[in-house]
Amino acid sequence: MPLDHSLTPDSGRCVLYIKHMVCSRGIRVVRRELESLGLRVLAVRLGAATVAGPTQELDWVRIRAALVAAGFALLENTQHVLAAQVKQLVNELLRRPDTLRHCDVIPTLAQEVGVSVRQLHSLFARLPGHESLLSYITHQRLTYAQELLGASQLGIGRLARLLGYGSLAHFSGQFRRFAHCAPSFYRQLLLSTAEAAARHPDAPNSASRQANNVKPGG
């Protein structure tokens, strides 16, 4: 039997951490595959699925085979499972109404996962690609900023505070390095692209070509 995938104290449920879930279609496919095995699926999010039942009672051979057949992979390395849990928590923390400041995110993560800050940094340093934890958090925060710039009408200063930045200058500087343009320009590109698409749904436009030159989030 593989390692205990349930990283919660509730023995009535188990969290499966899954590679290659990168979009909403992946969520639907994973849910369908798990339900086809007779599992009661409680929740599915990018990178994770929660099913009812204690870990030791699940048919791991069938679960692994079904996921592989659908193009996914079950994470069974303790280090990778913990990293997946941390990444999921990062995205949850950034989207909470009381978004944490930069300096508070890593201590909060360590507390919620149950490891020290030093252990958390060490975990990320050993992962493939050698991306630091701070770099990952910054990338996800700015990716979320891109989402908000397109989905909300908040002023740039208020948006920066919502994202946990101490100043507009700090946010704007990081965003410029990330997306190669100012936040206001990025928002205008999105708006122009949407308006052009609404007027001429089948025709390419200059705004969309400009947007293609902006670094995408993700």
Side-chain angles (χ1 to χ4, degrees), residues 90-166:
V90 166
N91 286 302
E92 290 177 2
L93 287 174
L94 294 180
R95 285 161 174 77
R96 287 180 184 175
D98 54 339
T99 298
L100 299 172
R101 296 177 301 163
H102 275 284
C103 59
D104 296 329
V105 174
I106 292 177
T108 301
L109 278 172
Q111 183 178 4
E112 294 205 13
V113 175
V115 299
S116 70
V117 169
R118 183 176 179 178
Q119 287 173 316
L120 209 51
H121 282 293
S122 177
L123 166 70
F124 263 72
R126 293 194 302 269
L127 292 176
H130 305 288
E131 180 179 26
S132 71
L133 179 57
L134 182 58
S135 175
Y136 178 80
I137 292 170
T138 299
H139 184 278
Q140 294 305 310
R141 192 187 296 270
L142 292 168
T143 297
Y144 184 37
Q146 288 181 313
E147 294 177 23
L148 290 176
L149 285 167
S152 79
Q153 299 301 315
L154 291 175
I156 305 299
R158 186 175 175 190
L159 189 146
R161 291 192 296 274
L162 177 66
L163 289 164
Y165 285 90

Side-chain angles (χ1 to χ4, degrees), residues 189-201:
L189 275 181
L190 294 178
L191 181 61
S192 298
T193 301
E195 290 175 347
R199 291 195 303 269
H200 307 288

Side-chain angles (χ1 to χ4, degrees), residues 5-6 9 25-26 55 58 67 69 75 87 101 131 133 136 160 201:
H5 287 269
S6 177
R25 178 183 175 278
T55 301
L58 299 181
L67 291 173
L75 287 173
K87 289 180 177 181
R101 296 177 301 163
E131 180 179 26
L133 179 57
Y136 178 80

